[in-house]
Every structure is written in structure tokens, then in C-alpha cells.
Amino acid sequence: MANIYGSGHLRSREGLFTRPGANSDEIQLQIDPMHGDLDEEITGLHKKIKQLKNVAQEIESESKFQNDFITQLQMTVIKAQAGVKNNMRRLNKSIIQQGSNHVFHVILFALLCFFVVYFWSKISRR
């Protein structure tokens, strides 16, 4: 908000004075020495902007690193899934082969038991 201080000067809260110039389009600007620390404020803001830029660059590099890591992890998982799928296929084949062998052994054992019981019953009747 501007206050008028005699002789047509306008003063703002930040310590800046404006004065109408000879031409109505000209404005003269003068900085109040009491509030002359604007250069220090600008320098401080400049330093903070540099810090924010550095933080943004660190975030960018970290996100690139993590994206690469995730891509590598996805490839590892895909390879592991393919390996598990192949092993499951081999295991199923071996179970089917051994399962048929087991069935064959059970049938042979049952026939053997049947013949043993049959011959024993024949021998025991005599």
C-alpha cells in the first residue's frame, strides 16, 4: 500500500520511493537506505534457487537409478519365471513317467499276490 509523503512522493512498505518524472510516462525509483538489504535478499534467494536446482538434479538422478534398477529386477523376474516354467514342465513329465511306472509295479504286485493266494489255496486243499 502506498503512502503519500509530501511533494508528490509515493512510498511503499518495502522502502521504495517513486517520483513522477518530467515526462508523465517516466517513473524514477529510489531505494530507501534503511531497507537497502534488498541485494542481500536477492542473493539469498539466488542461493536458495541454486539449492533447489541441486535437489531437483539429485532427485532426477536417483529416479533414473531406481528406474534402471526396477527394469533390471523385472528382467530377472522374467528369467526366473521362465526357469520355473521349464522346471515345472520337466517335473510334470517325470511324474507322468514315474507314475505310469508305479502303476505298472502295483499291477505286477497285485498279480503276484493273486497267484500266490491262488497257488496257496490249491496247495492247502490237497
Side-chain angles (χ1 to χ4, degrees), residues 44-57:
L45 286 174
H46 186 68
K47 287 179 183 177
K48 294 213 183 264
I49 289 172
K50 280 186 178 180
Q51 287 175 344
L52 286 174
K53 181 181 175 184
N54 290 338
V55 168
Q57 288 172 343

Side-chain angles (χ1 to χ4, degrees), residues 61-121:
S61 66
E62 181 66 24
S63 68
K64 284 180 182 179
F65 172 77
Q66 289 184 4
N67 283 339
D68 292 342
F69 180 75
I70 287 172
T71 302
Q72 227 175 9
L73 187 61
Q74 286 174 336
M75 292 303 296
T76 303
V77 167
I78 289 169
K79 288 177 184 177
Q81 285 176 336
V84 168
K85 188 175 180 180
N86 287 336
N87 286 337
M88 286 297 292
R89 193 175 306 139
R90 288 180 193 158
L91 184 61
N92 285 335
K93 283 181 183 178
S94 102
I95 287 173
I96 290 169
Q97 288 174 353
Q98 288 183 3
S100 63
N101 288 340
H102 287 306
V103 171
F104 181 70
H105 289 118
V106 169
I107 290 172
L108 283 178
F109 180 71
L111 286 174
L112 180 68
C113 288
F114 175 75
F115 285 120
V116 168
V117 171
Y118 177 75
F119 287 123
W120 189 29
S121 68

